[in-house]
């Protein structure tokens, strides 16, 4: 199943807000990959969360792929960092 979530702001500079369509029903992993497929950041969220913020100040400018997955499913979004 697809996990529904929104990234804001996008493009982002320092912090990224991730808002889920509903409260997470299981522990959830957030991974950020660069265009070469390298894992740049991993964050873990406890079930029950609806919104979280990631510190992305360390990410160089460019395009990234944000992958979110848990027992219920997964979702992928593109992120621009500038």
């Amino acid at each position: 199943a697809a996990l529904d979530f929104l990234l804001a702001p996008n493009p982002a500079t320092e912090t990224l807000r991730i808002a889920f369509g509903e409260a997470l029903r299981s522990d959830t992993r957030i991974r950020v990959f660069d265009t070469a497929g390298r894992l740049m950041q991993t964050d873990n969220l406890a079930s029950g969360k609806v919104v979280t913020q990631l510190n992305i100040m360390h990410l160089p400018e460019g395009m990234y792929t944000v992958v979110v997955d848990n027992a219920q499913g997964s979702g992928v979004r593109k992120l621009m960092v500038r």
Side-chain angles (χ1 to χ4, degrees):
L3 267 185
D4 181 38
F5 66 97
L6 297 173
L7 303 178
N10 192 2
T13 49
E14 295 180 359
T15 57
L16 175 66
R17 183 174 180 270
I18 302 179
F20 297 92
E22 62 179 15
L24 297 171
R25 287 180 291 179
S26 60
D27 292 349
T28 300
R29 179 175 58 171
I30 301 170
R31 292 175 294 164
V32 180
F33 296 92
D34 68 8
T35 53
R38 289 181 299 229
L39 179 61
M40 303 296 285
Q41 183 167 344
T42 304
D43 289 89
N44 293 299
L45 289 181
S47 62
K49 283 270 202 177
V50 181
V51 175
T52 190
Q53 288 207 14
L54 302 186
N55 179 341
I56 57 165
M57 288 176 68
H58 64 283
L59 294 177
E61 290 187 7
M63 286 297 299
Y64 294 86
T65 302
V66 178
V67 179
V68 175
D69 61 272
N70 65 16
Q72 276 68 50
S74 62
V76 178
R77 300 284 186 277
K78 293 289 185 196
L79 169 68
M80 170 71 86
V81 174
R82 67 176 184 203

